[in-house]
């Protein structure tokens, strides 16, 4: 990984977006990358949008400004403005059983994170499942670093793995 890669996790309060943002930053750092992570929240109540940003690079990251994402992880399909956070030719990974249509120039993947969350008896979080899908699609941070970070915080690695296992192109 030579250049700066920006990932945006976008969802609603109580979906685990803030925690998933921190775990992605921690895993990338453990994989010997420079990282920056931050979260922009609306109100602190259920249902309000939450957007986490993680910047990862091999060299020091100078800019602290918000940027569009090379990857956008969309935890809630009702947040219809997700594409505005994507750079041209970005990759969007979204929470859906079915394929959806975003801008043509975007690489698209989907994972049924809400269904997995419900099938697992509401263990883990939707964002944690989506983080697993991102890890598989991104492929530049070894999974052992995610496992170490999740285990350290007592979080459900099985939910993460299911996201990675169930992500599909399209």
């Amino acid at each position: 990984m030579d250049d700066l890669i920006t990932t945006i996790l976008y969802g609603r309060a109580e979906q685990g977006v803030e925690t998933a943002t921190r775990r992605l930053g921690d895993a990338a750092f453990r994989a010997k990358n420079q990282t920056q992570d931050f979260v922009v929240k609306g109100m602190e109540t259920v249902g309000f949008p939450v957007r986490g940003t993680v910047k990862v690079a091999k060299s020091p990251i100078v800019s602290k400004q918000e940027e569009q994402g090379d990857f956008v992880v969309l935890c809630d399909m009702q947040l219809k403005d997700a594409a505005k956070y994507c750079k041209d030719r970005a990759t969007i990974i979204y929470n859906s059983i079915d394929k959806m249509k975003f801008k043509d120039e975007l690489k698209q993947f989907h994972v049924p994170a809400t269904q997995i969350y419900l099938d697992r008896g509401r263990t883990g979080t939707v964002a944690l499942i989506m983080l697993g899908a991102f890890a598989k699609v991104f492929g530049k941070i070894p999974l052992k670093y995610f496992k170490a970070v999740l285990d350290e915080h007592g979080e459900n690695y099985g939910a993460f793995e299911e996201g990675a296992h169930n992500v599909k192109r399209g």
Side-chain angles (χ1 to χ4, degrees):
M1 189 174 353
D2 298 321
D3 299 309
L4 177 71
I5 303 289
T6 301
T7 302
I8 296 176
L9 293 93
Y10 189 39
R12 295 192 185 275
E14 301 300 316
Q15 286 184 314
V17 172
E18 183 171 3
T19 299
T21 299
R22 303 290 183 225
R23 301 306 172 253
L24 172 55
D26 289 350
F29 183 76
R30 287 180 188 216
K32 309 226 183 306
N33 294 292
Q34 300 292 314
T35 64
Q36 250 184 36
D37 60 75
F38 52 91
V39 177
V40 176
K41 299 184 234 187
M43 299 184 75
E44 296 284 331
T45 58
V46 175
F48 278 88
V50 177
R51 188 176 70 253
T53 300
V54 181
K55 296 179 182 182
V56 178
K58 285 294 182 193
S59 57
I61 301 169
V62 178
S63 170
K64 294 187 186 289
Q65 70 184 32
E66 286 191 63
E67 301 177 29
Q68 289 180 304
D70 298 289
F71 291 84
V72 172
V73 179
L74 177 58
C75 297
D76 188 324
M77 288 300 293
Q78 292 183 349
L79 295 169
K80 306 247 185 249
D81 62 345
K84 77 179 183 184
Y85 296 114
C86 296
K87 289 180 181 174
D88 291 340
R89 299 185 193 354
T91 298
I92 188 164
I93 305 164
Y94 56 91
N95 175 5
S96 179
I97 293 171
D98 301 315
K99 290 182 183 181
M100 305 300 280
K101 189 66 173 166
F102 290 91
K103 294 192 258 180
D104 287 338
E105 64 271 9
L106 298 178
K107 292 178 199 155
Q108 300 177 47
F109 294 85
H110 64 100
V111 62
T114 300
Q115 190 62 52
I116 292 168
Y117 174 73
L118 294 172
D119 290 349
R120 293 182 59 79
R122 298 177 188 263
T123 60
T125 63
V126 168
L128 183 60
I129 295 163
M130 295 300 295
L131 183 60
F134 164 79
K136 181 167 184 183
V137 171
F138 183 58
K140 295 183 180 179
I141 301 171
L143 295 181
K144 69 180 182 179
Y145 295 111
F146 286 103
K147 181 161 181 27
V149 166
L150 295 174
D151 286 350
E152 182 178 296
H153 292 280
E155 290 167 335
N156 193 318
Y157 187 71
F160 174 92
E161 282 183 309
E162 282 204 51
H165 179 72
N166 286 291
V167 66
K168 295 183 174 107
R169 181 138 193 154

